[in-house]
């Protein structure tokens, strides 16, 4: 191992350690005091409920762990968006779990909470996964009601999705394990089955205080909408239990008796570990993100037996395309090549840049994978498409559009891992969030933006300096440097994968060694949804 490898290894291991530390903090939700209050009420926390519900020793793929991080500081923050979501196994069946975290503002819904719930439902709908709601929420966070209540992608969309999923035969089970108020009361009752925990669970359109104010009736919350009321009088809930544990046991009993559904039929054989050590990724990925490296060295440490079948490997070399297996699943991989390569004409091509020939190759490869029903994996470390007169005259826009078209219309499931850079139209062509990847995760080394920090800061500086000069103001070199530093700092903060994860531009941040797990669980989920739509790219420029 050389010194450069060791430096890279130290840097990425440090980033991975920081990731684990931040995840531990996120897992505390509203903090240890809030957790203790939950326990005093005889309630498990959201994460304890999920742990109890899941099959012992099984994997759990959390979605949106960093949602809301650094946001809503004027209200004390909203760790993990006040809700825990993810894919897990109950009685051997893969499912989506959504659990309100009552340690965060009593489980109240912030704008990011709604976005995260909608993402969980989207994943369940795309993959036809059963969904379990563990409800414990005080309802909409009123100081921000204008940002969560009326729009298409706001709170009400959740109940619309309840209805759509029910009509499509996607199982929904709800457990009312705490408060469930106002419009939120519809979520569990629009599920297939609803259960409630006595003494802690309650459900009503308006609580006792609001009822008193609205119609003058004096009544306590338990009589108004507690477990006895809804299990014995209104018939709103189907089952009543004494404890969280009994309630969760019954969900497991329901899952134990569910029938099988058709599968998509993606190819899977016996899983095999990579022959090359995945831990070597830490040393291969450069600490300096502008340095070239061979993406094949990464791929061979992610795929089964370190075996990869390249597609047109001598053509369009700034994109790697080919077939492999990950945890036994057959996959088609499209990855940005970061080393400097020679084009078919003998010209040198920069790493991480998409050229016309590469875009043309990748479009064709994506079509082939759709023809053969092979899921696609995109490994992003992309600076964008090639620019300049030679590229424009060569039809870069036409070939780039062909790639975006094929990728957008793909009917096989797509999974995206952001390894390094994810800039501009490169993010789009390599299946960024806007292009419906079934899952999209980032490594701690990822950066997402229109352009790199250095380029953006210089551009923004030029705009601001020109604006000042237009007003007749002169700017000294010292003031200009101070302004550049300020712009750079702000832009670099927005480049961070944590900034992206907080806003759910990615589903999460993972250690590189978790990549195989994410892709494997994602394809297993996708295999629950048979492909019914034919692949068609429509009109393309050739």
């Amino acid at each position: 191992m050389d010194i450069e490898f060791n430096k890279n290894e130290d840097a990425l291991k440090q980033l991975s350690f920081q990731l684990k530390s931040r995840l531990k903090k996120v897992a505390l939700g509203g903090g240890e005091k809030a957790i203790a209050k939950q326990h005093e009420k005889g309630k498990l926390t959201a994460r304890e409920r999920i742990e109890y519900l899941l099959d012992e020793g099984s994997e759990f793929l959390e979605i949106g762990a960093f949602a809301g991080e650094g946001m809503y500081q004027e209200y004390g923050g909203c760790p993990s968006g006040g809700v825990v979501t993810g894919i897990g196994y109950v009685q051997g069946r893969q499912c989506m779990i959504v659990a309100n975290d009552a340690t965060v503002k009593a489980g109240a819904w912030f704008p990011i909470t709604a976005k995260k719930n909608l993402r969980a439902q989207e994943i369940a709908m795309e993959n036809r996964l059963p969904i379990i709601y563990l409800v414990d929420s005080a309802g909409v966070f009123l100081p921000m009601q204008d940002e969560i209540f009326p729009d298409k992608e706001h709170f009400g969309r959740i109940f619309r999705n309840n209805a759509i999923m029910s009509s499509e035969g996607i199982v929904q089970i709800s457990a009312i394990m705490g408060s469930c108020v106002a419009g939120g009361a519809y979520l569990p009752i629009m599920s297939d089955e609803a259960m409630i925990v006595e003494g802690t669970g309650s459900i009503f359109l308006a609580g006792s205080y609001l009822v008193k104010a609205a119609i003058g009736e004096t009544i306590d919350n338990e009589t108004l909408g507690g477990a006895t009321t809804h299990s014995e009088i209104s018939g709103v809930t189907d089952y009543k239990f004494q404890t969280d544990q009994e309630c969760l046991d019954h969900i497991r009993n329901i899952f134990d008796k569910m029938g099988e559904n058709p599968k998509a039929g993606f190819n899977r054989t016996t899983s095999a570990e990579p022959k090359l050590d995945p831990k070597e990724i830490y040393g291969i990925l450069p600490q300096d993100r502008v340095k070239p490296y061979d993406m094949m060295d990464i791929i061979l440490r992610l795929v089964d037996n370190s075996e990869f079948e390249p597609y047109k490997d001598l053509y369009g070399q700034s994109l790697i395309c080919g077939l492999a297996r990950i945890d036994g699943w057959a996959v088609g991989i499209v990855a940005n090549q970061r080393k400097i390569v020679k084009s078919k004409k003998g010209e040198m091509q920069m790493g991480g840049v998409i050229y016309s020939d590469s875009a043309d190759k990748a479009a064709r490869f994506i079509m082939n994978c759709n023809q053969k029903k092979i899921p696609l994996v995109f490994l992003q470390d992309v600076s964008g498409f090639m620019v300049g007169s030679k590229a424009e005259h060569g039809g870069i826009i036409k070939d780039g559009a062909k790639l975006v078209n094929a990728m957008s219309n793909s009917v096989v499931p797509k999974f995206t891992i952001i390894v390094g850079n994810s800039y501009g139209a490169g993010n789009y062509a390599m299946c960024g969030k806007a292009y419906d990847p079934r899952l999209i995760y980032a490594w701690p080394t990822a950066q997402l933006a229109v352009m790199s920090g250095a380029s953006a800061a210089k551009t923004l500086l030029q705009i601001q300096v020109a604006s000042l000069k237009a007003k007749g103001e002169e700017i000294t070199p010292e003031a200009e440097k101070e302004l550049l530093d300020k712009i750079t700092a702000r832009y670099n903060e927005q480049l961070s994968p944590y900034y992206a994860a907080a806003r759910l531009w990615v589903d999460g941040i993972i250690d590189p060694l978790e990549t195989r797990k994410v892709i494997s669980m994602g394809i297993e989920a996708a295999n629950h949804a048979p492909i019914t739509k034919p692949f068609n790219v429509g009109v393309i420029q050739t």
Side-chain angles (χ1 to χ4, degrees):
M1 298 297 178
D2 59 20
I3 294 176
E4 194 68 27
F5 183 98
N6 292 335
K7 286 181 178 178
N8 294 339
E9 183 178 43
D10 289 345
L12 186 43
K13 281 186 174 180
Q14 183 60 34
L15 289 175
S16 297
F17 175 79
Q18 291 170 6
L19 169 63
K20 291 177 176 65
S21 298
R22 293 174 80 151
L23 284 170
K24 284 180 181 178
K25 184 178 179 182
V26 160
L28 291 174
E32 293 178 352
K33 287 184 179 179
I35 291 172
K37 286 182 180 179
Q38 284 285 98
H39 292 163
E40 287 169 11
K41 295 175 184 177
K43 296 163 67 176
L44 300 174
T45 66
R47 292 182 183 277
E48 288 168 344
R49 288 166 178 165
I50 292 173
E51 184 178 4
Y52 185 93
L53 179 64
L54 293 175
D55 295 345
E56 188 174 351
S58 65
E59 296 279 11
F60 179 66
L61 179 58
E62 186 162 356
I63 309 290
F66 291 108
E69 180 165 283
M71 299 166 67
Y72 317 119
Q73 292 306 304
E74 66 273 33
Y75 300 113
C78 185
S80 213
V83 61
V84 183
T85 61
I87 300 171
Y89 298 86
V90 176
Q91 298 290 45
R93 295 177 182 276
Q94 213 177 34
C95 61
M96 172 62 71
I97 301 173
V98 177
N100 298 115
D101 187 350
T103 70
V104 180
K105 296 287 189 295
W109 288 60
F110 284 71
I112 197 67
T113 317
K115 187 173 183 179
K116 185 171 175 179
N117 274 264
L118 288 170
R119 176 59 177 154
Q121 287 185 322
E122 179 184 40
I123 291 170
M125 293 167 79
E126 285 180 331
N127 299 291
R128 299 191 63 81
L129 290 180
I131 186 165
I132 299 168
Y133 305 102
L134 305 180
V135 184
D136 192 348
S137 170
V140 167
F141 186 63
L142 286 177
M144 303 191 75
Q145 65 86 26
D146 62 321
E147 297 182 45
I148 188 175
F149 169 64
D151 210 347
K152 182 178 179 180
E153 299 299 329
H154 284 178
F155 192 56
R157 187 78 172 181
I158 291 160
F159 315 134
R160 174 265 188 193
N161 287 349
N162 288 143
I164 297 298
M165 282 190 276
S166 182
S167 72
E168 293 180 352
I170 299 170
V171 172
Q172 299 174 87
I173 307 294
S174 285
I176 303 157
M177 312 181 85
S179 298
C180 184
V181 301
Y186 286 104
L187 184 146
I189 310 312
M190 293 187 75
S191 299
D192 301 331
E193 295 183 83
M195 54 205 73
I196 190 168
V197 179
E198 192 167 16
T200 55
S202 61
I203 178 170
F204 33 65
L205 293 180
S208 57
Y209 292 123
L210 188 53
V211 167
K212 177 71 173 176
I215 63 172
E217 181 183 3
T218 301
I219 189 170
D220 63 88
N221 281 338
E222 186 63 26
T223 306
L224 180 67
T228 299
T229 295
H230 286 310
S231 297
E232 301 178 21
I233 300 173
S234 72
V236 165
T237 54
D238 304 307
Y239 311 96
K240 179 176 72 171
F241 300 100
Q242 296 296 312
T243 65
D244 281 7
Q245 289 87 341
E246 287 180 12
C247 185
L248 296 167
D249 285 338
H250 189 71
I251 295 174
R252 291 182 57 80
N253 289 340
I254 292 172
F255 268 67
D256 185 50
K257 297 170 180 65
M258 283 166 50
E260 291 291 337
N261 289 316
K263 298 282 194 265
F266 302 126
N267 184 278
R268 192 181 196 185
T269 59
T270 303
S271 175
E273 292 295 317
K275 286 183 179 177
L276 298 175
D277 188 357
K279 291 179 182 176
E280 291 176 353
I281 291 173
Y282 292 133
I284 292 167
L285 196 63
Q287 179 181 0
D288 183 348
R289 62 192 322 106
V290 301
K291 283 192 174 181
Y293 65 93
D294 192 345
M295 180 62 87
M296 276 306 308
D297 290 336
I298 303 289
I299 293 171
L300 295 178
R301 286 161 177 81
L302 294 176
V303 300
D304 291 11
N305 286 319
S306 299
E307 294 176 349
F308 181 79
E309 301 172 26
Y311 174 76
K312 291 191 177 185
D313 57 332
L314 300 178
Y315 176 74
Q317 295 182 69
S318 72
L319 278 177
I320 296 171
C321 299
L323 302 177
R325 291 188 182 274
I326 292 178
D327 196 25
W329 295 104
V331 296
I333 295 175
V334 181
N336 299 110
Q337 175 58 283
R338 284 308 306 254
K339 74 176 184 180
I340 298 170
V341 296
K342 272 189 178 182
S343 74
K344 60 186 176 181
K345 298 176 182 177
E347 299 165 340
M348 301 307 291
Q349 295 186 345
M350 295 184 293
V353 176
I354 301 175
Y355 291 78
S356 284
D357 53 358
S358 300
D360 177 66
K361 175 176 82 170
R364 176 82 176 184
F365 177 71
I366 289 168
M367 293 176 193
N368 281 338
C369 286
N370 275 271
Q371 185 84 339
K372 298 169 186 172
K373 205 158 76 171
I374 300 173
L376 288 160
V377 174
F378 293 84
L379 301 178
Q380 284 195 16
D381 194 348
V382 57
S383 303
F385 283 87
M386 190 58 191
V387 296
S389 61
K390 184 175 287 188
E392 297 293 359
H393 296 169
I396 186 67
I397 296 175
K398 175 188 67 177
D399 291 318
K402 190 189 304 181
L403 170 55
V404 171
N405 195 321
M407 183 272 301
S408 300
N409 284 297
S410 176
V411 295
V412 296
K414 299 169 291 193
F415 303 89
T416 302
I417 305 294
I418 304 176
V419 172
N421 301 331
S422 181
Y423 297 152
N427 169 282
Y428 300 162
M430 293 295 291
C431 196
K433 182 69 181 291
Y435 292 84
D436 298 323
R438 296 293 177 97
L439 294 172
I440 176 169
Y441 279 81
W443 288 3
T445 46
Q447 287 190 352
L448 287 79
V450 170
M451 62 182 75
S452 69
S455 298
K458 288 174 184 175
T459 303
L460 291 167
L461 175 67
Q462 289 171 5
I463 293 169
Q464 291 200 26
V465 169
S467 177
L468 290 170
K469 287 181 177 178
K471 295 175 184 177
E473 297 179 31
E474 288 297 323
I475 183 166
T476 65
E478 292 77 18
E480 187 172 317
K481 183 182 182 304
E482 185 180 339
L483 184 57
L484 177 61
D485 291 343
K486 185 178 178 181
I487 292 169
T488 302
R490 182 173 178 274
Y491 197 85
N492 284 341
E493 180 188 349
Q494 295 177 0
L495 283 171
S496 165
Y498 293 97
Y499 190 91
R503 289 151 183 81
L504 291 173
W505 301 343
V506 295
D507 292 317
I509 304 171
I510 55 169
D511 185 300
L513 301 185
E514 294 181 285
T515 305
R516 282 171 55 86
K517 166 190 161 182
V518 168
I519 294 170
S520 177
M521 287 186 70
I523 298 176
E524 183 181 352
N527 202 37
H528 290 88
I531 297 172
T532 57
K533 181 182 175 183
F535 176 65
N536 187 343
V537 295
V539 178
I540 58 172
Q541 290 273 12
T542 57

